[in-house]
Amino acid sequence: MHSASASQILLTWYDRHARRLPWRVSPQNRALGEVPDPYRIWLSEVMLQQTTVAAVKDYFEKFTMAWPTVEDLAAAPEEDVMKAWAGLGYYSRARNLKKCADAVAADFQGRFPDTEEDLLKLPGVGPYTAAAIATIAFDRHAAVVDGNVERVLSRYFRIETPLPDAKPEIKARMAELTPQARPGDFAQAVMDLGATLCTPRRPACALCPWMTGCQAHASGVAETLPRKAPKKQKPTRYGAAFVAVDKNTGAVLLRRRPPSGLLGGMTEVPGTVWSEVFDREDAATGAPFPAAWTRRTAEVKHTFTHFHLRLDVFRADLEESGAPVLKDAWWSEPETLDGEALPTVMRKVLALALTSDHDQSD
C-alpha cells in the first residue's frame, strides 16, 4: 500500500475512533480550528514517559487545576510540584518539569518554541518529546515514535530486527508515512492504533484499518513482533528504613533526600544506603539515633528500573523531644502525611510500619 493512501486510511479511522484524552484536541475540534495547548501537550508527554495513560489522567487533572499555565507552574515552589508528582515515579521527570517551566517562562515569555530544534534546548526535553510537541501542538512534520508506534510499524513493515537496534528503521518508516497535512493527528492515530487494536497480545487484526497492508498479519507473525533483545537480570539491593513515631501525636519523622540522584528531592524516612552487600542480621546498627527500634515481621519489596529493592523496616515509638535533630528532617502529623512528597516505596514502608504486626502479611 502506498504510504500516502495508508496515511489517509488511518486518519479516516482516527476521525471516527480517536481516544478522548484530557490533553487532546479531538480531530473534529481541530477541523473547526481549535488549536492544542502546547503546555498541556508537553505536560502530558512528560507524564506519559514510562507510565500508562490510566495512571496519568488523575495527575494531569491535578496539575492543570493547580497550575493552568506554564507561568503558573514556573511560579510554584518546587516542593509543591514534587508533592503533586509523588506516586507517579521517575522523579527526575518532576525536577526537569519545573526547570523546563522556569525556562519557558523566563526565556520564551511563557510560549513554548514550535520547532524540534528549539524544543530540544529545554531541560528534560529529549528527541521523542520534542518531536511530539512540535507535531501534536504545532502540526510540524516530525516522526513521533513511542512504544505503541514501534509495535505498530514493526508489524506493518514486518521489521524483525530486535529493539532497540530497530529504532532507526522504525523512525525512518514513520517519517515516510507521516503526511504533510495533519501530521499531529497522524502521530496520535498511530499511537491510538497501538493502544486499542494493535496491542502486545492478541491484536485485533480483523478490526484494524491497516490489516490489508500489514506484512506481519499476512505472514501470521504479528503477535511475535516487535522482537526485543534479552533483558539483563536486575540485581537486588537491600537496606533498612527507620520509622520514628511520636507516641503522643502519631507524627512521623521524615527527611528530604539529596536533590540529585535516585528519588532526588523526594521525602523519606531515615534509612541506610541500599546495597547488594548488606548485613541484614545487623541492620539495626544503621539506625539514625538510639531508640527502642523493633523490626517488623514483613519486609518491603519494590522494583526500580535497574534493580529490585528489599527493605527491613524498623519502628520506634518515642517522645518527639526524644529524637535528636537530623539534617533536613521534620515531624509530619498524621493529617499531613498523605500530602508529603513520598515516593511509592516510602508509602509502602509507612504502611508496613504503621500497621500492627498482627495485620501484616508478606
Side-chain angles (χ1 to χ4, degrees):
M1 192 185 302
H2 189 271
S3 62
S5 57
S7 302
Q8 187 53 55
I9 286 169
L10 189 62
L11 281 169
T12 301
W13 172 85
Y14 178 71
D15 287 342
R16 294 182 60 191
H17 301 286
R19 289 179 294 173
R20 292 182 175 272
L21 300 173
W23 48 84
R24 176 181 285 179
V25 174
S26 71
Q28 292 77 20
N29 287 346
R30 288 199 80 159
L32 293 172
E34 185 177 344
V35 178
D37 181 350
Y39 169 65
R40 294 171 70 87
I41 300 301
W42 161 74
L43 183 60
S44 68
E45 289 297 341
V46 174
M47 287 184 168
L48 285 165
Q49 293 166 18
Q50 307 292 330
T51 314
T52 65
V53 167
V56 162
K57 283 182 179 179
D58 287 345
Y59 282 89
F60 180 85
E61 299 284 12
K62 179 166 62 174
F63 263 73
T64 51
M65 283 184 67
W67 306 295
T69 69
V70 70
E71 291 101 326
D72 294 327
L73 185 57
E78 183 175 290
E79 184 179 352
D80 290 351
V81 176
M82 299 303 282
K83 285 181 179 180
W85 191 276
L88 197 52
Y90 299 90
Y91 294 97
S92 61
R93 293 182 298 167
R95 296 193 297 275
N96 283 329
L97 194 80
K98 184 67 170 69
K99 291 176 185 174
C100 185
D102 293 346
V104 172
D107 302 335
F108 293 91
Q109 293 74 52
R111 297 171 64 88
F112 277 84
D114 63 0
T115 66
E116 283 184 271
E117 182 182 10
D118 287 337
L119 286 162
L120 279 167
K121 297 173 185 175
L122 296 172
V125 175
Y128 165 76
T129 306
I133 298 170
T135 305
I136 296 170
F138 298 107
D139 247 358
R140 297 280 189 177
H141 189 278
V144 182
V145 180
D146 69 351
N148 283 314
V149 175
E150 287 177 345
R151 183 168 59 259
V152 170
L153 297 196
S154 290
R155 291 170 175 174
Y156 189 72
F157 293 105
R158 194 178 172 180
I159 298 171
E160 302 201 20
T161 305
L163 289 168
D165 292 345
K167 285 177 181 287
E169 182 179 355
I170 293 170
K171 185 158 187 174
R173 293 287 195 174
M174 186 63 174
E176 292 171 10
L177 283 171
T178 302
Q180 293 298 325
R182 301 181 65 192
D185 279 350
F186 180 77
Q188 293 173 106
V190 184
M191 293 176 188
D192 280 13
L193 187 64
T196 61
L197 298 182
C198 196
T199 49
R201 295 177 184 83
R202 299 187 180 178
C205 297
L207 300 176
C208 179
W210 274 359
M211 181 183 71
T212 56
C214 180
Q215 296 179 34
H217 173 71
S219 306
V221 296
E223 202 166 347
T224 71
L225 298 176
R227 306 205 192 291
K228 295 182 180 179
K231 289 185 178 180
K232 293 181 181 178
Q233 186 121 12
K234 290 182 182 180
T236 299
R237 298 180 188 174
Y238 301 88
F242 297 89
V243 180
V245 181
D246 184 332
K247 63 174 64 174
N248 296 316
T249 66
V252 174
L253 187 65
L254 301 176
R255 70 181 180 187
R256 187 162 291 111
R257 290 178 66 87
S260 60
L262 182 67
L263 306 180
M266 299 300 289
T267 299
E268 67 173 0
V269 300
T272 66
V273 296
W274 301 339
S275 170
E276 292 176 52
V277 183
F278 183 78
D279 185 355
R280 303 184 75 184
E281 297 302 315
D282 209 23
T285 60
F289 50 81
W293 297 104
T294 57
R295 188 195 300 254
R296 313 308 277 172
T297 55
E299 65 179 358
V300 163
K301 298 176 183 178
H302 191 75
T303 295
F304 292 96
T305 309
H306 301 298
F307 65 93
H308 301 293
L309 177 66
R310 295 175 67 172
L311 290 177
D312 289 299
V313 178
F314 294 81
R315 171 173 171 161
D317 293 271
L318 63 160
E319 304 282 349
E320 186 175 317
S321 58
V325 176
L326 301 179
K327 183 182 178 183
D328 291 331
W330 67 95
W331 290 93
S332 182
E333 302 295 329
E335 60 271 18
T336 63
L337 196 57
D338 193 52
E340 299 283 5
L342 291 159
T344 301
V345 64
M346 286 298 142
R347 293 188 185 275
K348 290 181 181 180
V349 166
L350 288 171
L352 182 61
L354 300 178
T355 57
S356 70
D357 265 346
H358 179 73
D359 294 330
Q360 292 170 27
S361 59
D362 193 4

